[in-house]
């Protein structure tokens, strides 16, 4: 029978306060998440499956890779219309983008979560799950890739970010905008993502550091990455993709040692571009730093994890990052 599969991983949406410790912890079962839905969803049969029950701050790259593989396996069932994944919001955009890069189907994959835990009277979880099931079952959502659905909006995996620590309207795609919205039981697709690319690596490379610049940062973090055997570094630089001179010198050493170094911006909007000399972005680009367009630091790290896992190196790696980063 045609159905949507609800795959649960934990997060605030599945959390309650433990009266013994006072800690809010993921503990609500997949079946209880289904039972809490207010929307009867009579027209969309639902299967539920538990993948994990943890806060998403505890999910690592191999676990997120296994989640993406499970999604692909579920979508192979011809009766599965789409998959909804419940997940903590802290790393929701990361698991969503990784699943998008690895997706082997045109069927919709919808990630959702909540900012208010399951035991709060005004929890946002049940509404977000119901909206996500409607989206996963909608023929119009085919080909949109993995998405985040939250607060009645849905967003492309590549573009969406968590922008507020606690409010329920936290997910935005900045100037790219949302893909569409859910109004009652209706799904409205307003645009389709143009920059999706997918890959089929056997593994992803987890040994990639993300280093954010602050005024006066030095080169220690980059040199440690090399000494510790990391396979690549992503820098969240200033503005258009600049670093302090000491970091530029360290980045040059890493590249000379054969390590890919990728530049993103610590600004929430806009793209990196090599412009400035005297140690700035132009100097970095001439040394071999790869500029990742307007991909965020965490998204560039995931793209790199997939590309290194798929065996990309040298110019092919650079071209792919520049084209997907755009
Ligand atoms: N604040 C988080 C959430 O929304 C905790 C986590 O990421 O699991 O679920």
């Amino acid at each position: 029978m045609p159905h949507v599969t609800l795959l649960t991983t934990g997060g605030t949406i599945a959390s309650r306060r433990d009266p013994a410790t006072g800690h809010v912890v993921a503990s609500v079962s997949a079946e209880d998440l289904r039972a809490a839905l207010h929307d009867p969803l009579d027209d969309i049969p639902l299967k539920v499956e538990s993948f994990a029950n943890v806060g998403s701050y505890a999910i690592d790259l191999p676990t997120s890779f296994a989640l993406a593989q499970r999604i692909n396996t579920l979508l192979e069932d011809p009766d599965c219309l789409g998959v909804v994944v419940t997940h903590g919001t802290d790393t929701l955009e990361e698991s969503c983008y990784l699943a998008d890069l690895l997706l082997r189907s045109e069927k919709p994959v919808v990630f959702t979560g909540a900012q208010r835990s399951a035991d709060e009277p005004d929890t946002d979880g049940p509404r977000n799950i119901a909206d996500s099931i409607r989206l996963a079952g909608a023929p119009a959502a085919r080909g949109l890739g993995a998405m985040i659905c939250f607060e009645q909006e849905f967003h492309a995996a590549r573009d969406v970010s968590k922008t507020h620590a606690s409010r329920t309207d936290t997910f935005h795609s900045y100037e790219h905008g949302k893909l569409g919205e859910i109004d009652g039981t209706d799904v409205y697709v307003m645009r389709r993502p143009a920059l999706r690319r997918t890959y089929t690596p056997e593994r992803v490379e987890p040994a990639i550091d993300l280093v954010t610049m602050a005024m006066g940062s030095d080169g220690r973090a980059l040199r440690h990455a090399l000494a510790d055997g990391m396979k690549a570094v992503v820098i969240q630089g200033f503005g258009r993709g600049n670093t302090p001179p000491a970091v530029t010198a360290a980045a040059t050493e890493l590249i000379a040692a054969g390590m890919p170094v990728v530049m993103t911006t610590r600004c929430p909007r806009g793209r990196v571009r090599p412009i400035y000399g005297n140690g700035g972005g132009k100097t970095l680009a001439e040394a071999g730093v790869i500029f990742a367009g307007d991909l965020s630091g965490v998204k560039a790290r995931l793209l790199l994890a997939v590309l290194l896992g798929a065996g990309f190196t040298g110019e092919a790696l650079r071209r792919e990052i520049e084209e997907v980063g755009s």
Side-chain angles (χ1 to χ4, degrees), residues 10-13 54-57 87-91 114-115 162:
T12 297
I13 196 165
V54 294
S56 72
Y57 40 83
H87 190 291
T89 56
D90 289 356
T91 60
Q115 290 281 67
K162 182 175 179 177

Side-chain angles (χ1 to χ4, degrees), residues 12 28-29 35 106 161 233 239 295:
T12 297
V28 178
S29 71
E106 290 290 292
S161 297
V233 170
L295 277 180

Side-chain angles (χ1 to χ4, degrees), residues 33-269:
L33 283 180
R34 181 220 295 257
L37 291 175
H38 312 148
D39 184 336
L41 291 156
D42 292 332
D43 48 330
I44 310 179
L46 194 64
K47 286 191 176 176
V48 298
E49 177 178 317
S50 172
F51 176 84
N53 210 351
V54 294
S56 72
Y57 40 83
I59 293 180
D60 59 14
L61 267 179
T63 308
S64 190
F65 181 62
L67 175 63
Q69 287 176 308
R70 184 66 195 142
I71 292 166
N72 278 326
T73 302
L74 289 169
L75 292 173
E76 280 169 15
D77 177 349
D79 279 341
C80 180
L81 301 169
V83 172
V84 173
V85 182
T86 55
H87 190 291
T89 56
D90 289 356
T91 60
L92 186 58
E93 70 207 62
E94 292 176 67
S95 282
C96 181
Y97 188 48
L98 188 59
D100 190 57
L101 290 168
L102 303 173
L103 195 57
R104 295 195 191 142
S105 171
E106 290 290 292
K107 297 175 185 176
V109 175
V110 186
F111 282 73
T112 194
Q115 290 281 67
R116 301 184 185 131
S117 51
D119 55 356
E120 293 195 46
D122 58 349
T123 176
D124 45 332
R127 166 68 71 108
N128 284 343
I129 296 177
D131 285 350
S132 298
I133 294 168
R134 298 229 165 264
L135 181 58
R142 285 178 69 93
L144 296 177
M147 299 164 262
I148 288 181
C149 178
F150 223 91
E151 279 281 289
Q152 297 178 248
E153 297 184 353
F154 49 97
H155 294 258
R158 181 193 178 282
D159 304 329
V160 65
S161 297
K162 182 175 179 177
T163 67
H164 196 284
S166 58
R167 273 169 43 171
T168 58
D169 65 337
T170 178
F171 284 100
H172 292 283
S173 300
Y174 295 113
E175 67 265 45
H176 296 290
K178 64 192 174 193
L179 291 178
E181 60 192 28
I182 317 281
D183 191 351
T185 57
D186 299 321
V187 173
Y188 294 93
V189 177
M190 327 297 283
R191 71 175 183 94
R192 309 187 77 81
L195 292 172
R196 287 194 62 231
R197 244 177 232 194
T198 58
Y199 307 89
T200 52
E202 299 279 304
R203 61 183 285 274
V204 288
E205 176 55 69
I208 303 170
D209 274 343
L210 174 61
V211 182
T212 300
M213 292 300 105
M215 184 184 275
S217 288
D218 61 26
R220 282 175 303 144
L222 267 65
R223 292 195 181 98
H224 266 299
L226 184 60
D228 291 350
M230 302 301 282
K231 299 293 185 286
V233 170
V234 176
I235 299 174
Q236 256 179 336
F238 303 125
R240 282 292 230 178
N242 302 306
T243 55
V247 177
T248 305
T252 306
E253 286 169 31
L254 265 53
I255 290 163
M259 182 185 271
V261 179
V262 172
M263 181 61 69
T264 63
T265 176
R266 68 177 197 173
C267 298
R269 295 185 289 170

